[in-house]
Amino acid sequence: MYGNVVTILSPLAVAVLLPTALVVVALFAVLWRERTSRRDARVAIASGMVLAVWAVVTIVLARRGLFQPPAGARVPPVGANLIVVLLALALFLSASGSLRRLLRNQANLIRLHLWRLEGLVFLVLMLQGRVPALWALPAGLGDLLVGATAPWVARGLEHPGGRRRAIAWTLFGMADLVVAVALGVMTNPGPTQVFYTIPNAELLTQYPLALVPAFPRPPGVHAPRRVARAAVARDVGRRTRQSNAVGGRP
């Protein structure tokens, strides 16, 4: 029993579990802060509970090794889980107008990307020889850059050039996520392995690191698209108003 506790609370586990818990709390705080009605409050509470349960279930599955690919598996369990999660999140957002309203504050969504400072963990693991540099360098440095600049981008969102900066930051963040997932799959043993590195990325499918791809933080998955879309829409709207004002001059 003592050994299990030590494993669950190892330094690596704490480095992964703590940001996961903070994301759950922070996202609920954002939803709760933006509520304007009892319905919004119920949606915020329900969303927070679903997110917390989702995190706990993911932790239990990772502890039981269910994200490690079995012999002969054509689709990595982490990949299949990611697809299901993305579809579920997209369904919730499309079905709930209240949830979309609660997530309308783009600056809050940008700040939530502070969790990506977790990329430092990837670099430490690389230096320890536990994960491949081919994955850790782009994933770790990209996450650190996104997380470190998130407050700056959020603070300047309404300043001149802030929207364009947010779009560039968002596109970089999305590219970083795609590259990290793709390289993780291509360096992990199995049918999808393309790069045979030493070490390989098998650690990404084991507890606790499996939580990173298996519990893709909602702000990290959906916020970039929403921020970019809102930024583009406001930029277009501002240019249209300026054009109308110029055209309406005598």
Side-chain angles (χ1 to χ4, degrees), residues 67 78 122 131-132 135 180 183-185 187-188 200-206 209-213:
F67 293 119
V78 168
F122 308 154
V131 296
W135 172 80
L183 288 177
V185 170
T187 54
N188 195 59
N200 56 41
E202 188 175 8
L203 190 65
L204 297 179
T205 64
Q206 300 174 2
L209 210 57
L211 293 178
V212 177

Side-chain angles (χ1 to χ4, degrees), residues 11-189:
L12 178 56
V14 172
V16 174
L17 293 177
L18 183 58
T20 299
L22 290 177
V23 164
V24 173
V25 173
L27 185 54
F28 171 72
V30 167
L31 296 174
W32 188 254
R33 181 179 180 182
E34 295 296 321
R35 75 193 190 284
T36 58
S37 65
R38 290 185 177 180
R39 176 179 176 81
D40 286 349
R42 290 195 297 268
V43 170
I45 293 173
S47 299
M49 293 177 62
V50 169
L51 196 61
V53 171
W54 171 22
V56 171
V57 170
T58 305
I59 292 171
V60 172
L61 294 179
R63 281 283 298 158
R64 295 184 176 182
L66 295 183
F67 293 119
Q68 299 179 38
R74 299 183 62 85
V75 179
V78 168
N81 174 80
L82 181 60
I83 293 173
V84 172
V85 167
L86 293 179
L87 291 176
L89 289 174
L91 179 62
F92 287 144
L93 283 172
S94 62
S96 176
S98 295
L99 184 57
R100 292 195 300 273
R101 285 195 304 274
L102 292 173
L103 292 172
R104 67 183 178 271
N105 190 317
Q106 306 303 321
N108 285 340
L109 296 182
I110 291 174
R111 292 188 185 96
L112 286 171
H113 280 259
L114 279 168
W115 73 264
R116 292 175 74 167
L117 292 173
E118 190 178 30
L120 179 62
V121 175
F122 308 154
L123 299 179
V124 172
L125 291 174
M126 178 195 70
L127 293 176
Q128 293 176 344
R130 301 174 66 183
V131 296
L134 179 62
W135 172 80
L137 282 175
L141 293 177
D143 275 354
L144 281 175
L145 183 58
V146 171
T149 55
W152 170 64
V153 174
R155 188 167 54 250
L157 200 58
E158 300 299 336
H159 296 170
R163 295 290 166 183
R164 293 183 180 179
R165 185 162 54 242
I167 292 173
W169 176 87
T170 296
L171 293 175
F172 177 81
M174 294 173 66
D176 173 59
L177 288 173
V178 170
V179 169
V181 172
L183 288 177
V185 170
M186 290 189 289
T187 54
N188 195 59

